[in-house]
Every structure is written in C-alpha cells, then in structure tokens.
Amino acid sequence: MLFSTVRNRMKSVKNIQKITKAMKMVAASKLRAIQTRAENSRGLWQPFTALLGDMPSVDVKKNVIVTISSDKGLCGGINSTSVKISRALYKLNSGPEKESKYVIVGEKAKAQLIRDSKKMIDISFTELQKNPLNFTQVSVLADDILKNVEFDALRIVFNKFQSVVSFIPTTATVLSPEIVEREAEAGGKLGELDLYEIEGAETKGEVLQNLAEFQFACTMFNAVLENACSEQGARMSAMDSSSRNAGEMLDRLTLTYNRTRQASITTELIEIISGASALEG
C-alpha cells in the first residue's frame, strides 16, 4: 500500500512542478511586455512632482486612500503590503474633524479590506488588467474616481518595481486644487507657483483644476503599471521557489520510493529462500 501511495504522490508533485514552471514562464513573458512601458510612464508624473511637489505630510480634512493591488494571487506578499500601508494611512489621517475613505483597484485588496472596513470603501474596481493596460483606460478610471469622491488629498498606494526580486511599497500624493492654492499662498514648496504666468482666458483656479486632474491620471497610470510589474516579478519568484520546493520534495519521495522498493524486493527474496530451504529440509 505504501509503495503505490508514494508513487502516486511522486506523480502529483511532478505535475505541480510542471504547472509552477509554466506559470513562471508566463509571468516572465508578461513582465517583459509591461516593464518598458512602466519605466517610460515615470516620465509622465515626474514633471508634476517637480512643479506641484509630493507632500505626504500635508494636513487635510478629507483623505482618499487609493489602494492598488492585483486581481490574482500566487504573487507573494505584494497585496498584503499595500493593504497594511493603506490601513496605516487610514489610522494616521483619522481624527474628530477628519474623514478618510478607501478607493480600491484590484480584487485582492478588496477581499482584505472589505472584512473590517466595508463602510469606508467608496468605490472598487476589478479586472483592470483583463485587457492590456493603456493610458485611455486608466484615464477613464481616474475620471470616475474624481467624479464620485470628495477629497482634499488622494493618497495612491502601490508597489514600485525595482527588479524581479525587489519592489518598494510607495505612496504618491495628489492634492486638490483648493489645497494646492492654499499651500502656494502659505509659501514653502508650492510658493513658487505664483511665479508662473498664466496665458489665455483661464483663471488660476481653472489651471490648477486641470493640472490636478491630469496629474492624478498620469500618477495612476504609472502606479498601475509599476504594480503590474511588481506582481509579475513577485509571481516569478514565488513560482521559482515553488518549483524548487517541488524538486526537493520529489528527491525525498524518490528516496523513500527506492527504499520501499528495495525493502519489498528483499522481503520477497527472503521468503523465496526460506521456502526453498524448507523444501530441501
């Protein structure tokens, strides 16, 4: 019985190893397709950071935490990391005169946050990566968020891609036009905004409104691509580890299988020899 059980187990482990190796190859292929676009998209939001700054410590009343995660699992702890940071930001920006809400992109963050923060979730989006990601698609998503939530600061939580084995949990902050104007009047990092001349019929408020909307769309586009790269990199690492673990388990099972087979053969030989000896006697 043990002999056949070990053989069946070996067959199952071999099949699992084939699956994990295939998933690693698929993740590597997807990563190559997204990585260049993610690196190029960094040039979209960096000018806004230079102009409007990235002020995570700004004190505002209405905070919206945009948590970006994946729709699928088997990619290590990238989704848990994003959720932990989102919860920490929620606690940090909560108070008697403050209001914080969640906007969730991705099924995995939704599944975790809905357990204890269901009432705080304003909107959630899933299956964003069902089709290849493009700026138009993400712009529509960003527009939906801006139309349906009231905010002073949007805090976007995502994983910034570094390499296949490394990603950095990151928070990008996009301020509302009113807060940008308030901070500009107060001086500091945004004080230099008043040095720019506005051409055309648009007022300063209208320009800031347009800038805030475009900044959010560009930051979201980069964040979604960076997180997608991190997801595929983490999945490659996870599947590689799984394949190695399956190989080690297969080695141990092969050893057990050979020992069991040798013990069975030895037992049969002893029985044959004992039977022959009995007949001669």
Side-chain angles (χ1 to χ4, degrees), residues 221-243:
F221 182 56
N222 173 251
V224 167
L225 286 172
E226 296 276 5
N227 203 78
C229 277
S230 301
E231 177 194 345
Q232 300 303 337
R235 185 169 287 117
M236 279 181 65
S237 298
M239 292 303 103
D240 185 51
S241 298
S242 298
S243 298

mmCIF file of all heavy atoms in Angstrom, residues 221-243:
data_model
loop_
_atom_site.group_PDB
_atom_site.id
_atom_site.type_symbol
_atom_site.label_atom_id
_atom_site.label_comp_id
_atom_site.label_asym_id
_atom_site.label_seq_id
_atom_site.Cartn_x
_atom_site.Cartn_y
_atom_site.Cartn_z
ATOM 1 N N PHE A 221 -1.698 56.011 -13.878
ATOM 2 C CA PHE A 221 -1.188 55.186 -14.975
ATOM 3 C C PHE A 221 0.148 54.565 -14.601
ATOM 4 O O PHE A 221 0.362 53.353 -14.772
ATOM 5 C CB PHE A 221 -1.057 56.031 -16.238
ATOM 6 C CG PHE A 221 -0.593 55.275 -17.450
ATOM 7 C CD1 PHE A 221 -1.291 54.158 -17.898
ATOM 8 C CD2 PHE A 221 0.533 55.674 -18.152
ATOM 9 C CE1 PHE A 221 -0.877 53.456 -19.029
ATOM 10 C CE2 PHE A 221 0.957 54.976 -19.271
ATOM 11 C CZ PHE A 221 0.253 53.861 -19.708
ATOM 12 N N ASN A 222 1.046 55.390 -14.057
ATOM 13 C CA ASN A 222 2.345 54.873 -13.631
ATOM 14 C C ASN A 222 2.202 53.871 -12.490
ATOM 15 O O ASN A 222 2.839 52.813 -12.493
ATOM 16 C CB ASN A 222 3.252 56.027 -13.201
ATOM 17 C CG ASN A 222 4.553 55.541 -12.599
ATOM 18 O OD1 ASN A 222 4.771 55.664 -11.398
ATOM 19 N ND2 ASN A 222 5.427 54.976 -13.413
ATOM 20 N N ALA A 223 1.330 54.185 -11.522
ATOM 21 C CA ALA A 223 1.154 53.305 -10.360
ATOM 22 C C ALA A 223 0.615 51.935 -10.755
ATOM 23 O O ALA A 223 1.073 50.903 -10.265
ATOM 24 C CB ALA A 223 0.213 53.970 -9.350
ATOM 25 N N VAL A 224 -0.355 51.925 -11.674
ATOM 26 C CA VAL A 224 -0.947 50.654 -12.127
ATOM 27 C C VAL A 224 0.094 49.814 -12.866
ATOM 28 O O VAL A 224 0.189 48.591 -12.657
ATOM 29 C CB VAL A 224 -2.174 50.928 -13.026
ATOM 30 C CG1 VAL A 224 -2.604 49.669 -13.744
ATOM 31 C CG2 VAL A 224 -3.331 51.467 -12.194
ATOM 32 N N LEU A 225 0.901 50.451 -13.721
ATOM 33 C CA LEU A 225 1.936 49.723 -14.463
ATOM 34 C C LEU A 225 3.037 49.219 -13.532
ATOM 35 O O LEU A 225 3.515 48.086 -13.660
ATOM 36 C CB LEU A 225 2.535 50.609 -15.556
ATOM 37 C CG LEU A 225 1.666 50.851 -16.789
ATOM 38 C CD1 LEU A 225 2.312 51.895 -17.696
ATOM 39 C CD2 LEU A 225 1.455 49.556 -17.569
ATOM 40 N N GLU A 226 3.469 50.071 -12.607
ATOM 41 C CA GLU A 226 4.507 49.664 -11.638
ATOM 42 C C GLU A 226 4.028 48.475 -10.807
ATOM 43 O O GLU A 226 4.776 47.515 -10.568
ATOM 44 C CB GLU A 226 4.862 50.841 -10.710
ATOM 45 C CG GLU A 226 5.497 52.038 -11.380
ATOM 46 C CD GLU A 226 7.000 51.907 -11.558
ATOM 47 O OE1 GLU A 226 7.552 50.845 -11.240
ATOM 48 O OE2 GLU A 226 7.621 52.883 -12.029
ATOM 49 N N ASN A 227 2.771 48.542 -10.371
ATOM 50 C CA ASN A 227 2.227 47.456 -9.551
ATOM 51 C C ASN A 227 2.089 46.169 -10.364
ATOM 52 O O ASN A 227 2.328 45.071 -9.851
ATOM 53 C CB ASN A 227 0.869 47.862 -8.983
ATOM 54 C CG ASN A 227 0.513 47.085 -7.740
ATOM 55 O OD1 ASN A 227 1.017 47.369 -6.642
ATOM 56 N ND2 ASN A 227 -0.321 46.068 -7.861
ATOM 57 N N ALA A 228 1.716 46.306 -11.644
ATOM 58 C CA ALA A 228 1.602 45.128 -12.519
ATOM 59 C C ALA A 228 2.967 44.474 -12.710
ATOM 60 O O ALA A 228 3.080 43.239 -12.707
ATOM 61 C CB ALA A 228 0.998 45.533 -13.867
ATOM 62 N N CYS A 229 4.025 45.295 -12.863
ATOM 63 C CA CYS A 229 5.385 44.758 -12.976
ATOM 64 C C CYS A 229 5.790 44.040 -11.693
ATOM 65 O O CYS A 229 6.355 42.942 -11.735
ATOM 66 C CB CYS A 229 6.381 45.888 -13.242
ATOM 67 S SG CYS A 229 6.499 46.367 -14.956
ATOM 68 N N SER A 230 5.514 44.679 -10.563
ATOM 69 C CA SER A 230 5.846 44.073 -9.266
ATOM 70 C C SER A 230 5.112 42.755 -9.083
ATOM 71 O O SER A 230 5.668 41.784 -8.550
ATOM 72 C CB SER A 230 5.487 45.033 -8.129
ATOM 73 O OG SER A 230 6.179 46.252 -8.252
ATOM 74 N N GLU A 231 3.844 42.725 -9.520
ATOM 75 C CA GLU A 231 3.039 41.498 -9.415
ATOM 76 C C GLU A 231 3.676 40.351 -10.205
ATOM 77 O O GLU A 231 3.837 39.240 -9.683
ATOM 78 C CB GLU A 231 1.624 41.760 -9.941
ATOM 79 C CG GLU A 231 0.729 40.522 -9.950
ATOM 80 C CD GLU A 231 -0.536 40.710 -10.788
ATOM 81 O OE1 GLU A 231 -0.865 41.855 -11.129
ATOM 82 O OE2 GLU A 231 -1.177 39.690 -11.104
ATOM 83 N N GLN A 232 4.063 40.621 -11.458
ATOM 84 C CA GLN A 232 4.645 39.564 -12.286
ATOM 85 C C GLN A 232 6.015 39.144 -11.780
ATOM 86 O O GLN A 232 6.367 37.954 -11.805
ATOM 87 C CB GLN A 232 4.728 40.018 -13.755
ATOM 88 C CG GLN A 232 3.401 40.369 -14.397
ATOM 89 C CD GLN A 232 2.386 39.234 -14.357
ATOM 90 O OE1 GLN A 232 2.728 38.060 -14.251
ATOM 91 N NE2 GLN A 232 1.105 39.571 -14.429
ATOM 92 N N GLY A 233 6.798 40.115 -11.294
ATOM 93 C CA GLY A 233 8.107 39.788 -10.717
ATOM 94 C C GLY A 233 7.962 38.916 -9.475
ATOM 95 O O GLY A 233 8.694 37.931 -9.300
ATOM 96 N N ALA A 234 7.009 39.291 -8.612
ATOM 97 C CA ALA A 234 6.766 38.516 -7.393
ATOM 98 C C ALA A 234 6.239 37.126 -7.732
ATOM 99 O O ALA A 234 6.579 36.137 -7.074
ATOM 100 C CB ALA A 234 5.768 39.254 -6.501
ATOM 101 N N ARG A 235 5.403 37.046 -8.784
ATOM 102 C CA ARG A 235 4.869 35.735 -9.196
ATOM 103 C C ARG A 235 6.000 34.846 -9.747
ATOM 104 O O ARG A 235 6.033 33.646 -9.481
ATOM 105 C CB ARG A 235 3.766 35.910 -10.236
ATOM 106 C CG ARG A 235 3.093 34.590 -10.610
ATOM 107 C CD ARG A 235 1.836 34.784 -11.431
ATOM 108 N NE ARG A 235 0.748 35.287 -10.598
ATOM 109 C CZ ARG A 235 0.152 36.458 -10.762
ATOM 110 N NH1 ARG A 235 0.538 37.269 -11.730
ATOM 111 N NH2 ARG A 235 -0.817 36.853 -9.963
ATOM 112 N N MET A 236 6.924 35.445 -10.494
ATOM 113 C CA MET A 236 8.076 34.682 -10.983
ATOM 114 C C MET A 236 8.874 34.100 -9.823
ATOM 115 O O MET A 236 9.240 32.918 -9.831
ATOM 116 C CB MET A 236 8.986 35.582 -11.827
ATOM 117 C CG MET A 236 8.557 35.783 -13.254
ATOM 118 S SD MET A 236 9.734 36.836 -14.147
ATOM 119 C CE MET A 236 11.186 35.808 -14.136
ATOM 120 N N SER A 237 9.142 34.938 -8.817
ATOM 121 C CA SER A 237 9.910 34.486 -7.652
ATOM 122 C C SER A 237 9.158 33.396 -6.892
ATOM 123 O O SER A 237 9.753 32.394 -6.473
ATOM 124 C CB SER A 237 10.191 35.669 -6.709
ATOM 125 O OG SER A 237 10.964 36.647 -7.350
ATOM 126 N N ALA A 238 7.844 33.599 -6.722
ATOM 127 C CA ALA A 238 7.035 32.621 -5.984
ATOM 128 C C ALA A 238 6.980 31.282 -6.715
ATOM 129 O O ALA A 238 7.112 30.215 -6.093
ATOM 130 C CB ALA A 238 5.618 33.166 -5.783
ATOM 131 N N MET A 239 6.819 31.333 -8.038
ATOM 132 C CA MET A 239 6.742 30.087 -8.811
ATOM 133 C C MET A 239 8.108 29.393 -8.883
ATOM 134 O O MET A 239 8.183 28.158 -8.905
ATOM 135 C CB MET A 239 6.224 30.365 -10.231
ATOM 136 C CG MET A 239 4.768 30.814 -10.290
ATOM 137 S SD MET A 239 3.621 29.621 -9.534
ATOM 138 C CE MET A 239 3.277 30.408 -7.956
ATOM 139 N N ASP A 240 9.181 30.196 -8.903
ATOM 140 C CA ASP A 240 10.531 29.616 -8.890
ATOM 141 C C ASP A 240 10.775 28.883 -7.571
ATOM 142 O O ASP A 240 11.306 27.768 -7.561
ATOM 143 C CB ASP A 240 11.566 30.728 -9.092
ATOM 144 C CG ASP A 240 12.976 30.177 -9.215
ATOM 145 O OD1 ASP A 240 13.182 29.261 -10.028
ATOM 146 O OD2 ASP A 240 13.871 30.657 -8.495
ATOM 147 N N SER A 241 10.382 29.515 -6.465
ATOM 148 C CA SER A 241 10.515 28.871 -5.153
ATOM 149 C C SER A 241 9.676 27.604 -5.072
ATOM 150 O O SER A 241 10.122 26.580 -4.535
ATOM 151 C CB SER A 241 10.088 29.835 -4.040
ATOM 152 O OG SER A 241 10.903 30.971 -4.018
ATOM 153 N N SER A 242 8.450 27.687 -5.623
ATOM 154 C CA SER A 242 7.560 26.514 -5.614
ATOM 155 C C SER A 242 8.146 25.368 -6.426
ATOM 156 O O SER A 242 8.078 24.208 -6.011
ATOM 157 C CB SER A 242 6.186 26.889 -6.176
ATOM 158 O OG SER A 242 5.568 27.877 -5.393
ATOM 159 N N SER A 243 8.744 25.696 -7.574
ATOM 160 C CA SER A 243 9.359 24.656 -8.420
ATOM 161 C C SER A 243 10.535 23.996 -7.702
ATOM 162 O O SER A 243 10.697 22.769 -7.758
ATOM 163 C CB SER A 243 9.837 25.260 -9.747
ATOM 164 O OG SER A 243 8.751 25.797 -10.470
#
